[in-house]
Structures are given as C-alpha cells and as structure tokens.
Amino acid sequence: MGKGAVTSGDVARLANVSQSAVSRTFTPGASVSQSTRDRVMKAAEELGYRPNALARAMISGQSKLIAMMFAYLENQFYPVLLERMSRELQAKGYHPLLFMTESGNQDDVVKQLLDYQVQGLVLASATLSSDLAVRCGDLGIPVVLLNRDIDDPVASSVTSDNFAGGKLVAEHFVKNGRRRVAYIAGAEDSSTNRDREAGLVVGLAAHGLALAGRFCANYRHDEARDAAARLMNGPERPDAIFVANDYMAFAVIDVIRSEFGLRVPEDVAVAGYDDVPEASWDAYQLTTVRQSTEDMTAHAVALLSDQIDGAFVRPQKVLLPATLIVRRSA
C-alpha cells in the first residue's frame, strides 16, 4: 500500500466486499450482516482506515454539528454552562463547535458559521438580530438562546425567571430590615439585566421603597468595582446591594471590605445571581439566585433535537423557576 490516505475502496478490496458495504458498516443504524461487519472492521484496522465523518455528513446533509457561541467566559457561570452543554450534545450524538465572539450583536459571526452547515445554533452571553434568526429558521437551522431572550418570537430561549428572581431578592432584603437598596446592572441591552432589575424595583415598590442608587457595570469585574466604590462614596450609602450576577458581586464584596473597611452583611448586605460554584466559598458565602445549568442545558438540547428531527418547527420559550439561596452575605 502506498503512503497516500487509505480510502474506503482500499478497505473494500482487502475485505472482498463492495464499497457500499464499507459505507454501511461505518454508518450508525445502517443494515449490514455481522460477518460483513467483522471483515470490514478487520480490514480497516489492518490498514489504519478512519472514515471521513465530515465528508459523509456533507453528502447526507446530516452534519450533527451544533455551533455554540459565547461572547465571554470570564463569568464563572458560562464555563459550567459550556461544559454541561457540550456533554449533553455529545451524549445525543451531536458534535459541538465553539465560537468566541465580541459582546453585542453576533450577526456577522453567525453569517460565517452558517458555511459550516451546522444543524443548530446555541447562543450564550450573546445574541442576534431578529432578521438573522428568521433567516436561520428559513434555512431549517433551529436557534436556542441560553440565559438570553429577544422580544420577537423567532428563536427558542431557555432562561430562568429573572423577574421573579429580582423580586425574591427585594423581599429578602426588606424582610431583613434593609431600606436603602441599590442595584449594579449588567449590560443595559440584555434581557436578563432588564428583567432582574424590574423584579427588584417591583418588589421594593410593594413595600413603599425605591432604588437608593444604581450604576451599570456591563457584567465586567473592573466596572463592578468602580460601581461599588461610587455607591459607597455617594451621599446616601446603601445598606444592601443587588448585583446582576455573581461574577460582579464578588468584586463588590471585595471593594466593601478592602477599600471601605466595612462588614458584609452587617454594614452592607450583598446578593448576586447565578449561584456559580465560587458563591459557596468561605471567602464570599454569597446569597444569590440559583440558575440550574443542568436544567437549562437539558431543555436547550431537547429543543434543538426536537426541531432537527422535525417534531416541531415553531420556536419555544422555556422559563425555569428562580430559587433564592441564602448565605452569609445577606
């Protein structure tokens, strides 16, 4: 045998079977007798043959490729989500492809990845325009947004009940005697931030309270430190701060302790959102609203596979319950 790549024809000749028999042997669920399978596998092993899964997928139109787009992974919530999503997809026979993008609208990157003939698209810490979501739908490519949503019903989404989560935090603060509650926002244009803040405001209003302060930190650790310092230097120092996610809440706690010499929660209570693994660490013991990455990824994979298999074609929105996890920070 020469030094060129081993082909299915080479395997067929050595096994004394047809080339189509080789193809069926390496196609899951295809009909082939056990004796033929044994001969093909023996010949393939002897020759060092590996089927070209990508080429076969291009021919069949079933690439089993699922593109996953993340704008950032600094927030500890997203690496956990990425790992769970990858494992769930692989367990279902899909092949995840990771694409990193810039924050904001990801239309340009989505247009490029459509060339890979992906069968599904998952966006986390990222979003896309309604027009491009419609285009994906026209191409038969289901889109699922994780921890994000868009107003138009053109893509499926899986989120926690962010409004309810914000309201739970407000009620917990008030129940524990907090009256000057501030909010540190994530990205102004994100649905998660909008709904968490709305829940907080409604929850406070039910007790005759309004926000004592508010700054936007764009889900960034450094900006959260600046926002916390500005709140603490303000004319009316808050006695409680709700932070749009845990990643920023850690920065807020650090500032309160190290720069102002105050105690958490005795002087200032702090609550976050997500319940990342680090939230339970002794250094923070962060009170937070839990988002179940396990439930989130299970629903996302089910939505993708159902649409790929043709069980339904209309996008669906899944809203998962929010649970307040009370720890020492509040």
Side-chain angles (χ1 to χ4, degrees):
M1 187 67 61
K3 293 184 179 180
V6 178
T7 68
S8 60
D10 299 328
V11 176
R13 282 189 290 273
L14 183 59
N16 197 26
V17 298
S18 67
Q19 197 165 342
S20 63
V22 175
S23 177
R24 292 196 305 274
T25 298
F26 287 99
T27 301
S31 175
V32 61
S33 69
Q34 189 60 49
S35 62
T36 298
R37 183 183 301 278
D38 291 342
R39 286 155 59 194
V40 169
M41 295 305 293
K42 181 180 178 182
E45 183 176 357
E46 182 177 335
L47 294 172
Y49 170 75
R50 295 291 299 168
N52 189 328
L54 184 59
R56 188 168 64 240
M58 300 286 274
I59 294 171
S60 67
Q62 298 291 317
S63 70
K64 293 290 186 178
L65 296 175
I66 304 296
M68 298 191 300
M69 292 180 57
F70 287 76
Y72 50 84
L73 293 174
E74 293 92 342
N75 176 2
Q76 299 91 338
F77 178 73
Y78 288 112
V80 175
L81 192 67
L82 172 60
E83 179 182 353
R84 286 192 179 277
M85 191 72 194
S86 298
R87 293 186 184 279
E88 287 271 354
L89 288 169
Q90 290 171 198
K92 295 287 187 180
Y94 294 105
H95 312 298
L97 291 177
L98 174 62
F99 291 82
M100 297 302 301
T101 75
E102 298 297 326
S103 297
N105 190 290
Q106 272 67 47
D107 281 15
D108 289 342
V109 178
V110 172
K111 290 174 183 176
Q112 295 174 25
L113 68 84
L114 292 179
D115 294 338
Y116 287 83
Q117 297 195 7
V118 297
Q119 286 194 271
L121 176 60
V122 177
L123 292 95
S125 68
T127 189
L128 77 166
S129 69
S130 298
D131 289 343
L132 192 55
V134 169
R135 180 183 170 191
C136 289
D138 291 342
L139 293 171
I141 301 172
V143 177
V144 177
L145 304 178
L146 280 180
N147 200 33
R148 285 287 190 277
D149 197 7
I150 54 178
D151 293 331
D152 293 332
V154 292
S156 295
S157 63
V158 183
T159 66
S160 70
D161 192 338
N162 291 290
F163 179 87
K167 193 174 179 182
L168 285 172
V169 172
E171 292 169 350
H172 182 71
F173 280 157
V174 173
K175 182 180 70 174
N176 286 277
R178 311 291 173 166
R179 293 295 180 268
R180 300 185 307 279
V181 180
Y183 180 64
I184 293 181
E188 298 284 20
D189 61 349
S190 75
S191 62
T192 51
N193 176 76
R194 176 194 66 211
D195 295 344
R196 290 168 192 177
E197 182 174 4
L200 177 70
V201 170
V202 168
L204 291 175
H207 298 277
L209 300 174
L211 282 181
R214 180 197 190 277
F215 289 104
C216 178
N218 293 302
Y219 293 124
R220 294 180 58 87
H221 190 273
D222 56 344
E223 293 188 36
R225 291 186 65 92
D226 292 341
R230 294 172 71 183
L231 282 173
M232 302 308 293
N233 280 319
E236 187 178 22
R237 177 177 290 172
D239 60 10
I241 304 174
F242 177 34
V243 192
N245 68 12
D246 293 351
Y247 178 56
M248 295 192 299
F250 299 144
V252 172
I253 290 176
D254 289 342
V255 167
I256 291 171
R257 289 172 173 167
S258 64
E259 295 186 20
F260 291 87
L262 298 174
R263 299 167 300 168
V264 176
E266 292 85 354
D267 299 315
V268 185
V270 178
Y273 206 109
D274 285 338
D275 195 25
V276 299
E278 293 82 355
S280 64
W281 288 6
D282 287 343
Y284 297 105
Q285 280 293 301
L286 180 65
T287 290
T288 184
V289 180
R290 173 175 292 166
Q291 295 198 100
S292 171
T293 55
E294 186 174 356
D295 291 344
M296 193 171 282
T297 54
H299 280 284
V301 172
L303 286 170
L304 283 170
S305 59
D306 283 351
Q307 292 187 79
I308 290 171
D309 294 340
F312 69 85
V313 293
R314 289 185 300 176
Q316 296 190 5
K317 296 186 182 297
V318 176
L319 195 64
L320 301 175
T323 304
L324 184 67
I325 306 299
V326 178
R327 299 192 181 97
R328 201 163 54 230
S329 75

